[in-house]
Amino acid sequence: MADSPQLPESPDSPEGRVRWRRFAVLTLPAVAVTAGLGIALAQGALAASFAVSGQQFKVSAKSLEGEGFAQYGSVDVNAREELIPVAVTAIREAKLHSLCQSVVTTLPIIGDISLNLTAGQKAPVEASNLFVDATQLSGDAVFTNIEIGRDASTLDKGPADAVGMQDLFAQQADTVSITDLHQTAWATNAGTFKLSGLNMNISKGKKECF
């Protein structure tokens, strides 16, 4: 007798279930990223207004004085639509002395290449509506009229857009002063950024601000 035609495997068969499971495993990460990005967009949780690069940069300053300080958790997104958790530090008006910014890129054959920027050695660097999406911050800090544990959606001392998601932890203060500032960040936004005595250079090797 001739062989009977074989029907496609049913999803309910053992083989079908295995294939559907493989399909689900492969597609789940992409679906999760898309869903997470959609939720973040809907709730206004995204921090930087642009896709961040795949490299963090370092910032140091001898001192920072700011008026209208707010800090809360948020997320950045890169060009691959991956969500990156950050702590947003937002300051209405800021002055930084002896600012340094560095980023190191590793290239094939060439090796490490460092981009260094310095400013504010004499007159301070001035920024308005400053937002820094950071993963690390250290220094000696003094706050005036600080509120710790405030709902991130109700912040009102920092820049107008410095608000986070409802029910999330946040803090704010009238003023902030930080000496020996060290910070690692994914992105910086500012309404205005005045860099006095700006100097930028590129060199081989690893040369970071700290």
Side-chain angles (χ1 to χ4, degrees), residues 22-92:
R22 288 177 182 172
F23 175 78
V25 168
L26 291 173
T27 59
L28 186 58
V31 172
V33 169
T34 302
L37 183 57
I39 293 171
L41 285 168
Q43 296 181 340
L46 293 182
S49 57
F50 51 86
V52 300
S53 75
Q55 295 177 281
Q56 295 191 74
F57 56 92
K58 292 185 175 181
V59 177
S60 68
K62 185 175 180 181
S63 65
L64 177 151
E65 292 88 37
E67 295 183 2
F69 166 86
Q71 192 173 62
Y72 54 95
S74 188
V75 290
D76 281 342
V77 60
N78 60 22
R80 295 184 179 87
E81 295 189 347
E82 297 168 333
L83 301 180
I84 303 168
V86 294
V88 178
T89 297
I91 304 175
R92 273 203 328 269

Side-chain angles (χ1 to χ4, degrees), residues 91-166:
I91 304 175
R92 273 203 328 269
E93 300 290 340
K95 293 184 178 181
L96 301 98
H97 297 266
S98 299
L99 173 69
C100 173
Q101 178 178 301
S102 65
V103 62
V104 178
T105 301
T106 302
L107 300 176
I109 302 176
I110 298 176
D112 291 335
I113 299 293
S114 297
L115 170 64
N116 291 79
L117 179 152
T118 58
Q121 303 299 324
K122 296 181 179 179
V125 171
E126 298 179 6
S128 64
N129 295 325
L130 176 67
F131 290 79
V132 181
D133 303 347
T135 56
Q136 177 271 332
L137 184 151
S138 64
D140 298 318
V142 177
F143 302 91
T144 60
N145 297 323
I146 189 168
E147 300 172 352
I148 301 174
R150 183 168 177 138
D151 188 296
S153 68
T154 68
L155 294 170
D156 58 7
K157 290 189 176 184
D161 294 332
V163 292
M165 295 175 65
Q166 186 175 347

